[in-house]
Amino acid sequence: MRKVLLIAASALTLAAQSAGAQSPREDSFEQIQKGRYLATLGDCSACHTAPGGKPFAGGVTLKTPFGDLVGANITPDPDTGIGRMTPEEFQKVMSEGEGRGGYHLYGAMPYTAYTKVTKEDNEAIFAYLQSLEPVHNKVETNLLPFPFNVRASLSVWNAMNFDKGVYKPDASKSEEWNRGAYIVQGLAHCGTCHTPKNMLGGDNGGEFLKGGVLDNWYAPDITADNHKGIGSWSEDDIVAYLKTGANRFDIASGPMAEEVEKSSQHWTDADLKAVANYLKDTDAKSAAVPQPIPATDGRMVAGAAIYADRCSACHTPNGAGIPKLFPQLAKAPLVNGDDATNLIRAVLAGSQSGGTHAAPTGPSMPSFAWNLSDKDIANVVTYVRNDWGNAAPAVSESDVAKLRESLQE
């Protein structure tokens, strides 16, 4: 009789397990795989995986105008990670910028964008993070000096710079456009780098995706502006850039190369196309195109000579570049932008593009800091920004000197 009861109990247990397997669970394979993709879409590893460190164990230093912040450990370690966090607490992190225990997070954690992410997607991301290997790695995230290290002031910051709320689809637009908007405005948090900031570090109203400076890099205008933005790029050009790190106009370098390597090259084709569709339909209103500096200007004459000697072999005499090898300079959005930081930096420090599955070997540019003076660099960059159909403000010797000093710190 006892044997019969044990067999019956085992049968009931197996039946219960079978029934449970038919119902979606927060730790199901499908849920975790969905979360893995969404975490990649959001490029979470960029801030939470230190070079040479364990995945998502934190330790990445984030330079801000107010001081340093460090990416947190988001592995499921119970003491130094998020092992004790509940799904509800994770939802508050993402949608409200509120950490476990009720404290406010700094805007370097882009909850101002993540607030647009649906609860269902956040649940999937949380399930994925909880499936990771726990890593015991204590991280001191707040390295800001006084008074910026006082979190109480963040309630005021939020009141001025944070609009809470999940993304609401635009019924007048296509499903693809809305998917692109959801990604760009939400998980991909493109505006965190590509939108100019106010004096408090919040986004400038009405300037979404029109370019911003971050840690001595310039994230260019990616609106449909034909002169300073990507209006001349086709949807296929945008997809190629995000998928391979290069297109017929440009090659990703610096932080954008890292984003392509770790994130966008892994996006589905449908999501890449949706983002391209949305970006091509962004606000393209801009000021009138400026008049180029005359070729007879002394700075242009000097810059033309330097370009012919140091730059034309790769970028070609007419600035056309070599597609997918050396960036085009003629009529290039980055060249025509209001801020020349990236161009100056490329000449000073050189440049290295990223490697992707589609293009594993990225081209590079050598540094000219050792044999070009600040005045030389100012002249050649000014020349590049005002020839071949380009038109942009001149670069001063002091602009170069300031960036040179910053890069040496």
Side-chain angles (χ1 to χ4, degrees):
M1 183 66 178
R2 182 181 179 186
K3 184 176 182 180
V4 172
L5 289 174
L6 287 172
I7 293 173
S10 297
L12 287 171
T13 300
L14 289 172
Q17 290 175 343
S18 177
Q22 295 173 7
S23 303
R25 291 173 21 185
E26 67 177 22
D27 60 348
S28 70
F29 176 79
E30 292 80 7
Q31 180 81 330
I32 290 171
Q33 285 299 95
K34 176 184 177 181
R36 181 196 301 272
Y37 176 71
L38 292 172
T40 302
L41 193 66
D43 199 12
C44 301
S45 66
C47 293
H48 296 283
T49 302
K54 293 289 186 71
F56 302 100
V60 178
T61 301
L62 309 172
K63 300 286 186 180
T64 81
F66 311 101
D68 292 350
L69 293 167
V70 183
N73 180 350
I74 55 172
T75 72
D77 181 73
D79 298 318
T80 65
I82 61 170
R84 292 193 174 96
M85 185 176 283
T86 66
E88 292 74 24
E89 289 170 332
F90 184 74
Q91 174 65 23
K92 281 199 168 187
V93 167
M94 296 290 281
S95 65
E96 300 179 32
E98 184 179 308
R100 187 169 187 262
Y103 64 89
H104 292 296
L105 299 176
Y106 289 94
M109 191 287 185
Y111 63 88
T112 52
Y114 291 164
T115 188
K116 296 182 181 296
V117 180
T118 65
K119 186 173 184 290
E120 292 73 24
D121 280 353
N122 285 332
E123 288 173 345
I125 295 170
F126 184 71
Y128 166 63
L129 294 177
Q130 291 295 325
S131 76
L132 297 173
E133 174 191 357
V135 179
H136 188 83
N137 182 39
K138 187 174 182 179
V139 176
E140 182 60 48
T141 59
N142 185 358
L143 301 181
L144 298 176
F146 180 83
F148 304 114
N149 61 344
V150 180
R151 293 181 184 269
S153 62
L154 293 175
S155 58
V156 177
W157 191 94
N158 282 337
M160 299 175 67
N161 297 288
F162 178 39
D163 294 320
K164 177 187 171 184
V166 71
Y167 174 76
K168 292 182 172 55
D170 185 337
S172 69
K173 300 292 186 178
S174 68
E175 182 178 345
E176 182 178 58
W177 185 96
N178 275 291
R179 175 64 179 174
Y182 175 71
I183 294 171
V184 170
Q185 296 178 27
L187 269 177
H189 60 284
C190 303
T192 301
C193 293
H194 289 275
T195 298
K197 307 304 178 200
N198 58 36
M199 62 182 299
L200 296 177
D203 291 349
N204 271 345
E207 297 292 305
F208 186 57
L209 303 182
K210 291 187 179 292
V213 178
L214 185 68
D215 192 21
N216 292 321
W217 287 95
Y218 177 65
D221 186 323
I222 55 171
T223 69
D225 184 305
N226 280 315
H227 185 65
K228 295 186 289 187
I230 55 174
S232 58
W233 294 18
S234 69
E235 290 188 16
D236 287 343
D237 290 328
I238 298 172
V239 169
Y241 183 82
L242 294 173
K243 186 74 173 178
T244 70
N247 62 18
R248 60 195 173 112
F249 291 100
D250 206 353
I251 298 174
S253 62
M256 193 62 203
E258 182 181 9
E259 191 283 334
V260 173
E261 282 186 309
K262 293 183 176 181
S263 182
S264 63
Q265 71 161 319
H266 304 291
W267 299 1
T268 65
D269 289 343
D271 279 349
L272 289 167
K273 291 176 181 176
V275 166
N277 180 273
Y278 170 71
L279 290 177
K280 286 293 292 180
D281 193 40
T282 50
D283 182 14
K285 294 178 182 177
S286 63
V289 176
Q291 288 296 314
I293 297 172
T296 55
D297 185 289
R299 295 165 296 181
M300 293 289 287
V301 174
I306 296 169
Y307 181 86
D309 184 49
R310 307 296 177 88
C311 316
S312 62
C314 293
H315 294 284
T316 71
N318 64 355
I322 306 297
K324 300 182 181 181
L325 187 59
F326 302 118
Q328 174 180 323
L329 300 176
K331 298 181 179 179
L334 182 62
V335 173
N336 285 300
D338 294 328
D339 193 300
T341 296
N342 289 6
L343 294 177
I344 300 171
R345 182 171 185 142
V347 181
L348 279 172
S351 178
Q352 175 65 58
S353 63
T356 62
H357 295 311
T361 303
S364 62
M365 173 178 166
S367 163
F368 290 93
W370 67 280
N371 64 356
L372 287 180
S373 68
D374 293 341
K375 186 176 181 179
D376 289 338
I377 295 173
N379 286 336
V380 73
V381 174
T382 295
Y383 168 73
V384 166
R385 281 161 62 82
N386 288 279
D387 200 5
W388 319 304
N390 296 330
V395 172
S396 70
E397 189 175 343
S398 62
D399 292 333
V400 181
K402 181 179 179 181
L403 184 57
R404 187 193 290 266
E405 183 179 356
S406 294
L407 295 178
Q408 290 174 343
E409 291 177 352

